[in-house]
C-alpha cells in the first residue's frame, strides 16, 4: 500500500476510534474503491457497519476480509459476532471456533463461542469450549461468567455459584456479572443475598432494567408485593423481553375506572394469563368497561366467565377492532397487580372465577364416573413445558408411578403434549392412567377445563394445569420444588391466587418422592375422614 494509502487508512482508523462510525465507514469504502484487496479495510469496515447496526453490511464486509485473510483470529471473531447478530448461529459458531483455533489465548472468542453454543441449545459444547478458554487464560472474568451461566442452565447449581462468585470477584465493576450471581442466589432461594447484588448493580446504574426486574421478583417471592410489582414493571425496558403490545391508549396508573374503558392485554404463557386473570373481576367491580385481549385458546373460557367483558383473541398485528377503537386506558395483565395487589390483604380469598362449559362437564363426569366405578377421579399431570435453569419442575414417571398404585383412585391424564412413552412407563410399573383422546389442551383449552371440572382432584407439579385447576376451583395438590418459582412463594402450603390449591413442598430440591409420599398420606386421611 502506498504512503497515501497508509495515511488514508490511519485517518479512517482515527475516525473509527473517535466513534465517528459514519465517517469511518465512508473512509474505508474509499480505500476499498482504490484497493479491493485491502483486508484491513474490509475488517474495519465490517466492525464499523456492525457498530452502526447494519448487520447485513457487516457480514458482507467481514466475509470479504475472511476470504482475503483466512486464519486471522480477529477477522473470524468479528465475522462470528456479526453472524450471531444476524441470527446465523451455526455459521457464527464455526467462525468463532476458527478464531479460537487461530489464537487459543483469545479469551473473548472463547466466551462468545460459548454464548452462541448456549443459544443453539448446545450447552455441554458451550461448557467445553469455555473451559478450553479458561485453560489458556485462567481466571478470565468474562469466561467465568459465561461458564457459570451455562452451568446454571445445565442445573449444576453448586459449580455455577462457585464460578459466578469467582467472576464477580474478578469483575467487581461489571454490572452484568454481579447481576448473574444475584440471579443464581435468587433462584436458589437466598433472596436477601440476591437483593444485595442487585442493589450493587443499581448503585452503579439506577436504570438497569434487568436488575430492577430481578429485584422485583425477589420481593414478589418474599410476599413484598408492592415493591415487587414496581420492580416487575421494569421488564418492559429489557431489550430481550417481548415488546409491549402496540396500543395507543395511555397506560393505566391506578386512576379511577368507573364508567371508563380499559383494554387489558394478556402476556407471557397461558398459565400466567390465568393467574393474572384472578384480578379481572376487580375491574368489573369498580364499573370499568373492560376489553381483554387474550391467547386464542382462552377466549371461549373468558367469554363465558366474564360475560360483561369484550373478549378478543390475540393476533399479530392486533385485530383492527382493537387498533381502531379508542380506550381510556390500556394495561398489561401482569401489571394489574401493581395497582390491585400491593399487600397480602389485597388478595381475595382465592374464589374461582373460571366457568367451564356445563354440558361438556356433565358429559365428562358421566363418562368418568362409569370408568372410575366409585373411585376418586384424579387428574394427573407430571411435567412442565417450561423448565427453568436449575429448577426441575417435571416429575419423573418413575417417581409419579409410586403414587399410582392406589386402588381408591382412578387416574386420567391431563398432561399436554405427547404422553405415549410416559403412559407406557407407568404401565410397565403396574400403574394405569387413562388417556382421553377427545381432549388436547394444546388445541382446546375449553375442553380441558370441562374435563378438569368433572374431576374430584388434580395432582400436578406447578404448571399450567395447576393454574387452570385453581381458576376453576378444582382441588389441586401440587408437589412443589424446594426452590419454587416466585409465583408459588417460598414457604407454606397455600398461595394467594387460588383457594383450591395446596402445595406439598420438597425438603431437598429434586426429591419428588418426599412430597408425593405426603400426598399419598393425605389421600389416606381423606379416605378415613370420608369413612
Amino acid at each position: 500500500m502506498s504512503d497515501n494509502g497508509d495515511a488514508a487508512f490511519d485517518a479512517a482508523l482515527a475516525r473509527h476510534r473517535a466513534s465517528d462510525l459514519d465517517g469511518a465507514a465512508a473512509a474505508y469504502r474509499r480505500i476499498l474503491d482504490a484497493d479491493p484487496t485491502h483486508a484491513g479495510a474490509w475488517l474495519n469496515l465490517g466492525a464499523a457497519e456492525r457498530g452502526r447496526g447494519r448487520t447485513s453490511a457487516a457480514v458482507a464486509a467481514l466475509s470479504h476480509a475472511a476470504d482475503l485473510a483466512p486464519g486471522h483470529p480477529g477477522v473470524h471473531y468479528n465475522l462470528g459476532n456479526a453472524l450471531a447478530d444476524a441470527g446465523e448461529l451455526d455459521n457464527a459458531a464455526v467462525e468463532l471456533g476458527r478464531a479460537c483455533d487461530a489464537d487459543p489465548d483469545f479469551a473473548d472468542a472463547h466466551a462468545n463461542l460459548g454464548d452462541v453454543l448456549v443459544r443453539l441449545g448446545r450447552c455441554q459444547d458451550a461448557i467445553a469450549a469455555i473451559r478450553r478458554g479458561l485453560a489458556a487464560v485462567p481466571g478470565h472474568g468474562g469466561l467465568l461468567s459465561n461458564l457459570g451461566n451455562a452451568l446454571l442452565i445445565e442445573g449444576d447449581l453448586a459449580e455455577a455459584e462457585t464460578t459466578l462468585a469467582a467472576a464477580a470477584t474478578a469483575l467487581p465493576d461489571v454490572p452484568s456479572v454481579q447481576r448473574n450471581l444475584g440471579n443464581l442466589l435468587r433462584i436458589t432461594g437466598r433472596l436477601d443475598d440476591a437483593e444485595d447484588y442487585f442493589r450493587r448493580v443499581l448503585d452503579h446504574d439506577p436504570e438497569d432494567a434487568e436488575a430492577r426486574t430481578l429485584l422485583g421478583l425477589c420481593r414478589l417471592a418474599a410476599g413484598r408485593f408492592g415493591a415487587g410489582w414496581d420492580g416487575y414493571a421494569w421488564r418492559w425496558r429489557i431489550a430481550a423481553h417481548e415488546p409491549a403490545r402496540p396500543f395507543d391508549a395511555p397506560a393505566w396508573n391506578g386512576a379511577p375506572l368507573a364508567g371508563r374503558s380499559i383494554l387489558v392485554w394478556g402476556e407471557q404463557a397461558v398459565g400466567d394469563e390465568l393467574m393474572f386473570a384472578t384480578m379481572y373481576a376487580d375491574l368489573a367491580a369498580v364499573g370499568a368497561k373492560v376489553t381483554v385481549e387474550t391467547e386464542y385458546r382462552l377466549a371461549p373460557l373468558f367469554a363465558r366467565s366474564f360475560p360483561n367483558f369484550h373478549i378478543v383473541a390475540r393476533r399479530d398485528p392486533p385485530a383492527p377492532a382493537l387498533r381502531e377503537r379508542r380506550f381510556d386506558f390500556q394495561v398489561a395483565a401482569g401489571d394489574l397487580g401493581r395497582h390491585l395487589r400491593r399487600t397480602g390483604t389485597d388478595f381475595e380469598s382465592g374464589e374461582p372465577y373460571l366457568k367451564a362449559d356445563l354440558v361438556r362437564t356433565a358429559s365428562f363426569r358421566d363418562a368418568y364416573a362409569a370408568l372410575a366405578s366409585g373411585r376418586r377421579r384424579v387428574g394427573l399431570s407430571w411435567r412442565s413445558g417450561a423448565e427453568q435453569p436449575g429448577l426441575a419442575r417435571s416429575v419423573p414417571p418413575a417417581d409419579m408411578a409410586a403414587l399410582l398404585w392406589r386402588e381408591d383412585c382412578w387416574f386420567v391424564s391431563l398432561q399436554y403434549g405427547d404422553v405415549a412413552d410416559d403412559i407406557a412407563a407407568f404401565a410397565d410399573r403396574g400403574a394405569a392412567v387413562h388417556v382421553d383422546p377427545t381432549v388436547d389442551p394444546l388445541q382446546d383449552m375449553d375442553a380441558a377445563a370441562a374435563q378438569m371440572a368433572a374431576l374430584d382432584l388434580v395432582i400436578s407439579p406447578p404448571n399450567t394445569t395447576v393454574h387452570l385447576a385453581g381458576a376453576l376451583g378444582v382441588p389441586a395438590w401440587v408437589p412443589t420444588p424446594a426452590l419454587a418459582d416466585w409465583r408459588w412463594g417460598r414457604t407454606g402450603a397455600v398461595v394467594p391466587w387460588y383457594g383450591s390449591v395446596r402445595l406439598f413442598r420438597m425438603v431437598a430440591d429434586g426429591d419428588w418422592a418426599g412430597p408425593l409420599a405426603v400426598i399419598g398420606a393425605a389421600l389416606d386421611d381423606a379416605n378415613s375422614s370420608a369413612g
Side-chain angles (χ1 to χ4, degrees):
M1 186 165 60
S2 66
D3 290 343
N4 287 340
D6 288 339
F9 186 76
D10 289 343
L13 192 58
R15 288 191 171 194
H16 199 156
R17 289 170 174 165
S19 298
D20 177 11
L21 299 183
D22 293 342
Y28 291 133
R29 290 194 181 279
R30 286 193 292 272
I31 293 169
L32 291 166
D33 287 340
D35 180 8
T37 66
H38 195 308
W42 283 116
L43 168 60
N44 286 8
L45 173 61
E49 295 288 31
R50 184 172 180 239
R52 297 168 73 198
R54 301 182 67 222
T55 302
S56 296
V59 169
L62 291 163
S63 296
H64 281 297
D67 290 339
L68 293 166
H72 187 288
V75 170
H76 292 300
Y77 172 73
N78 281 281
L79 178 55
N81 291 337
L83 288 166
D85 292 342
E88 298 182 36
L89 299 183
D90 288 311
N91 291 332
V94 171
E95 294 299 329
L96 290 167
R98 289 172 177 166
C100 295
D101 292 340
D103 182 1
D105 294 336
F106 198 162
D108 287 346
H110 288 288
N112 289 10
L113 174 59
D115 180 64
V116 166
L117 290 171
V118 167
R119 291 171 63 187
L120 282 167
R122 297 165 54 189
C123 212
Q124 287 294 335
D125 290 339
I127 290 170
I130 299 168
R131 289 196 193 280
R132 285 194 295 273
L134 283 168
V137 192
H140 187 276
L143 286 168
L144 288 168
S145 182
N146 282 17
L147 177 60
N149 290 335
L151 290 166
L152 174 59
I153 293 170
E154 282 294 284
D156 189 345
L157 299 183
E159 188 178 358
E161 181 175 348
T162 300
T163 306
L164 289 173
T169 300
L171 299 171
D173 298 321
V174 177
S176 63
V177 175
Q178 305 297 314
R179 191 172 59 230
N180 289 340
L181 178 55
N183 191 41
L184 182 142
L185 294 169
R186 179 188 71 85
I187 287 171
T188 55
R190 285 165 286 175
L191 302 180
D192 291 339
D193 292 338
E195 286 200 22
D196 287 342
Y197 278 93
F198 297 141
R199 287 196 189 95
R200 292 180 198 178
V201 175
L202 294 171
D203 286 343
H204 180 269
D205 178 9
E207 299 297 306
D208 189 305
E210 289 187 59
R212 286 204 175 272
T213 302
L214 291 168
L215 181 58
L217 294 180
C218 281
R219 290 169 171 170
L220 287 170
R224 295 157 59 195
F225 294 107
W229 294 123
D230 290 344
Y232 190 56
W234 280 75
R235 68 196 182 282
W236 300 112
R237 306 192 193 187
I238 299 174
H241 195 278
E242 63 176 300
R245 300 289 285 167
F247 298 116
D248 292 334
W252 183 49
N253 59 3
L257 290 173
R260 310 183 82 177
S261 61
I262 183 168
L263 169 61
V264 183
W265 42 275
E267 54 168 316
Q268 303 177 53
V270 168
D272 292 303
E273 287 209 48
L274 289 167
M275 183 179 77
F276 295 138
T278 59
M279 296 181 276
Y280 289 0
D282 293 31
L283 303 176
V286 296
K289 302 173 183 176
V290 183
T291 296
V292 174
E293 185 198 46
T294 186
E295 214 263 10
Y296 77 95
R297 289 176 296 164
L298 292 177
L301 274 167
F302 280 2
R304 184 183 307 110
S305 305
F306 302 109
N308 294 323
F309 290 6
H310 182 209
I311 306 297
V312 180
R314 183 166 57 246
R315 50 187 275 195
D316 290 306
L322 291 186
R323 296 200 310 270
E324 296 165 5
R325 182 178 170 188
R326 300 301 300 173
F327 293 94
D328 293 314
F329 301 104
Q330 56 86 19
V331 65
D335 287 329
L336 287 171
R338 195 175 187 190
H339 309 296
L340 301 175
R341 299 289 186 272
R342 294 196 66 83
T343 69
T345 57
D346 289 335
F347 286 83
E348 298 293 335
S349 60
E351 289 297 318
Y353 70 88
L354 212 56
K355 294 177 172 54
D357 183 281
L358 293 177
V359 174
R360 296 175 88 175
T361 297
S363 177
F364 281 117
R365 186 176 291 117
D366 291 344
Y368 292 170
L371 292 169
S373 300
R375 291 172 290 173
R376 180 185 285 111
R377 301 182 298 270
V378 180
L380 199 69
S381 173
W382 54 91
R383 66 171 184 251
S384 171
E387 295 290 0
Q388 295 175 287
L391 291 181
R393 292 196 296 170
S394 296
V395 183
D399 287 339
M400 185 63 82
L403 185 68
L404 306 184
W405 295 330
R406 305 182 62 91
E407 296 182 355
D408 58 338
C409 295
W410 173 81
F411 295 101
V412 59
S413 172
L414 305 177
Q415 182 61 55
Y416 38 88
D418 184 2
V419 299
D421 289 344
D422 291 342
I423 297 299
F426 292 143
D428 288 343
R429 292 171 171 80
V433 176
H434 177 72
V435 177
D436 191 330
T438 69
V439 183
D440 181 0
L442 294 177
Q443 298 298 324
D444 189 349
M445 192 68 70
D446 204 26
Q451 177 192 35
M452 193 176 292
L455 301 176
D456 301 308
L457 177 68
V458 168
I459 298 175
S460 170
N463 59 19
T464 299
T465 301
V466 176
H467 288 291
L468 184 58
L472 289 164
V474 175
W477 291 359
V478 185
T480 307
L483 306 175
D485 181 76
W486 67 268
R487 294 161 180 81
W488 312 103
R490 289 303 190 203
T491 60
V494 299
V495 291
W497 305 101
Y498 311 113
S500 67
V501 171
R502 178 180 174 188
L503 305 182
F504 295 77
R505 296 184 184 271
M506 293 180 185
V507 175
D509 211 53
D511 178 21
W512 291 105
L516 290 171
V518 179
I519 288 175
L523 287 168
D524 291 338
D525 290 343
N527 285 340
S528 298
S529 298

